[in-house]
């Protein structure tokens, strides 16, 4: 049986969104309005105490109101689950699926799947978590597989795709780890991948466009940000090392039709301005990547794209256009390539 070929899209047809974790100081309704006014086509909605708390009384009524707001503004949505202190006021991201008692995390992810279904979300995204030092690696893996299996059952019943995100420093931190997890789960059809473009530059051994191609048939959610090799820090476009037109071209060539959502969780202090210049940058990068562009697929420096980012053009920066010369130390270590403090989902 022949596998159907994906339809190649023009990069100009990609749909850009923005993560609400980059609007932490805004009411959710206001953040949605700002993003719609700027011209974004969707949002990556992080369930959190201030943005659609999944444990709040009257949740069904609140979800219905958010659905109406999204529909009125013409915004698509994906659900993100990386809130820092939603489940434990003392410990960031705890408990994860790897802890001794992951019940609260599993409950949260099940709720996220149901909320996603009620909002008409295109995907629900989640990650493994950092392995607690007292938990052996083999046991952590068993817990991860069991927890993911439980979430897959809930998501299938709700009819919403799951996008599991490899996250630097976590038990599954790279694409190879995602494939291993998918195989351990029995390759459920609703278990896709969330690909953070910055993470690809941070630690994957191949160029970023090749990362997109490697997971094309499993891609259900894309986060986009700039990053430097070996440093897990989400940067504004132009402040890192990624050459974005080839990345957008790879997404279009893969036939990806989901949201491409900006992921800048530490930029809430200037959210409207950062969101505005991020969209300007992405639109310019998409034009540079378009087959109809007179200059072809240009690098940011050649196309002028980098000048719209936070840092402007950097004549000495290294891009991902050539094969990378360094690689990380394996799926679970998260240490050999990462410098400085770990910045994980929710902004570290």
């Amino acid at each position: 049986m022949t596998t159907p070929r994906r339809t190649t899209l023009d990069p100009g047809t990609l749909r850009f969104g923005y993560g609400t974790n980059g609007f932490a100081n805004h009411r959710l309704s206001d953040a949605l309005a700002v993003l719609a006014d700027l011209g974004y086509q969707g949002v990556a909605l992080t369930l959190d105490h201030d943005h659609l708390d999944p444990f709040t009384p009257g949740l069904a009524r609140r979800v219905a109101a958010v659905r109406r707001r999204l529909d009125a503004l013409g915004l698509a949505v994906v659900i993100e689950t990386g809130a820092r202190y939603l489940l434990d006021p003392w410990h960031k991201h705890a408990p994860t699926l790897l802890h001794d008692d992951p019940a609260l995390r599993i409950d949260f992810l099940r709720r996220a799947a149901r909320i996603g279904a009620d909002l008409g979300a295109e995907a629900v995204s989640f990650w493994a978590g950092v392995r607690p030092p007292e938990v052996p690696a083999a046991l952590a893996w068993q817990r991860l597989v069991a927890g993911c299996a439980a979430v897959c059952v809930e998501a299938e019943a709700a009819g919403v795709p799951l996008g599991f995100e490899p996250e630097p420093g976590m038990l599954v931190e790279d694409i190879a780890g995602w494939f291993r997890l998918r195989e351990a789960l029995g390759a459920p059809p609703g278990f896709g991948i969330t690909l953070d473009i910055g993470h690809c530059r941070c630690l994957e051994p191949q160029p970023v466009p090749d990362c997109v191609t490697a997971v094309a048939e499993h891609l259900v959610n894309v986060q986009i940000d700039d990053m430097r090799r070996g440093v897990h820090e989400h940067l504004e476009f132009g402040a890192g090392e990624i050459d974005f037109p080839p990345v957008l071209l790879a997404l279009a060539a893969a036939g990806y039709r989901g949201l491409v959502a900006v992921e800048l969780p530490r930029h809430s202090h200037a959210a409207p301005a950062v969101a505005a210049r991020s969209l300007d940058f992405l639109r310019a990068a998409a034009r540079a990547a378009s087959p109809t562009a007179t200059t072809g697929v240009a690098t940011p420096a050649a196309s002028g794209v980098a000048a719209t980012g936070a840092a402007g053009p950097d004549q000495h920066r290294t891009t991902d256009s050539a094969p990378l010369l360094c690689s990380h130390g394996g799926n679970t270590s998260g240490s050999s390539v990462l410098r400085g403090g770990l910045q994980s989902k929710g902004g570290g």
Side-chain angles (χ1 to χ4, degrees), residues 193-249:
I193 188 169
T194 289
L195 190 68
D196 187 304
I197 298 302
H199 295 171
C200 295
R201 178 58 185 165
C202 178
L203 53 63
E204 295 289 350
Q206 66 264 48
V208 180
D210 292 355
C211 294
V212 173
T213 302
V215 299
E217 65 180 297
H218 308 291
L219 200 56
V220 297
N221 185 30
V222 172
Q223 299 167 352
I224 195 164
D225 45 81
D226 214 342
M227 207 166 284
R228 295 181 180 273
R229 182 67 178 169
V231 183
H232 186 202
E233 181 181 4
H234 293 249
L235 302 173
E236 283 194 65
F237 302 117
E241 299 171 344
I242 298 176
D243 188 3
F244 283 95
V247 175
L248 299 184
L249 187 61

Side-chain angles (χ1 to χ4, degrees), residues 26-310:
H26 283 68
R27 298 179 185 88
L28 179 57
S29 60
D30 291 340
L32 298 179
V34 169
L35 293 172
D37 287 347
L38 287 173
Y40 282 96
Q41 293 178 274
V43 295
L45 171 56
T46 296
L47 303 180
D48 206 347
H49 57 87
D50 55 347
H51 286 171
L52 196 53
D53 184 345
F55 299 99
T56 191
L59 178 62
R61 183 174 65 255
R62 176 71 172 136
V63 170
V66 173
R67 176 65 184 263
R68 290 193 298 271
R69 184 68 164 159
L70 290 167
D71 290 345
L73 294 170
L75 293 172
V77 64
V78 296
I79 298 297
E80 297 284 348
T81 57
R84 294 186 186 98
Y85 293 100
L86 179 64
L87 306 184
D88 184 332
W90 289 95
H91 304 99
K92 187 180 73 172
H93 293 158
T96 70
L97 295 174
L98 315 180
H99 280 82
D100 290 341
D101 185 2
L104 185 56
R105 173 65 57 174
I106 292 173
D107 177 42
F108 169 45
L109 294 176
R110 285 171 166 161
R111 288 169 181 256
R114 295 193 293 269
I115 291 170
D118 290 341
L119 291 179
E122 298 180 3
V124 173
S125 183
F126 70 114
W127 36 239
V130 176
R131 177 172 65 85
E134 69 278 7
V135 178
L139 178 58
W141 182 259
Q142 293 171 9
R143 290 175 174 177
L144 176 62
V145 173
C148 287
V151 178
C152 283
V153 171
E154 189 72 40
E156 182 179 7
V160 61
L162 293 174
F164 186 94
E165 181 188 3
E167 180 83 16
M170 293 192 177
L171 187 63
V172 174
E173 66 175 0
D174 58 12
I175 290 171
W178 178 85
F179 275 108
R180 179 188 174 211
L181 178 59
R182 178 176 179 268
E183 181 179 1
L185 290 167
F191 188 79
I193 188 169
T194 289
L195 190 68
D196 187 304
I197 298 302
H199 295 171
C200 295
R201 178 58 185 165
C202 178
L203 53 63
E204 295 289 350
Q206 66 264 48
V208 180
D210 292 355
C211 294
V212 173
T213 302
V215 299
E217 65 180 297
H218 308 291
L219 200 56
V220 297
N221 185 30
V222 172
Q223 299 167 352
I224 195 164
D225 45 81
D226 214 342
M227 207 166 284
R228 295 181 180 273
R229 182 67 178 169
V231 183
H232 186 202
E233 181 181 4
H234 293 249
L235 302 173
E236 283 194 65
F237 302 117
E241 299 171 344
I242 298 176
D243 188 3
F244 283 95
V247 175
L248 299 184
L249 187 61
L251 288 169
Y256 177 67
R257 298 177 182 274
L259 286 177
V260 180
V262 178
E263 175 77 3
L264 291 173
R266 293 192 173 188
H267 291 72
S268 292
H269 64 283
V274 173
R277 59 180 174 251
S278 295
L279 186 57
D280 287 344
F281 181 99
L282 290 172
R283 285 172 168 170
R287 288 193 297 271
S290 174
T292 61
T294 57
T295 56
V297 179
T299 64
S303 64
V305 173
T308 67

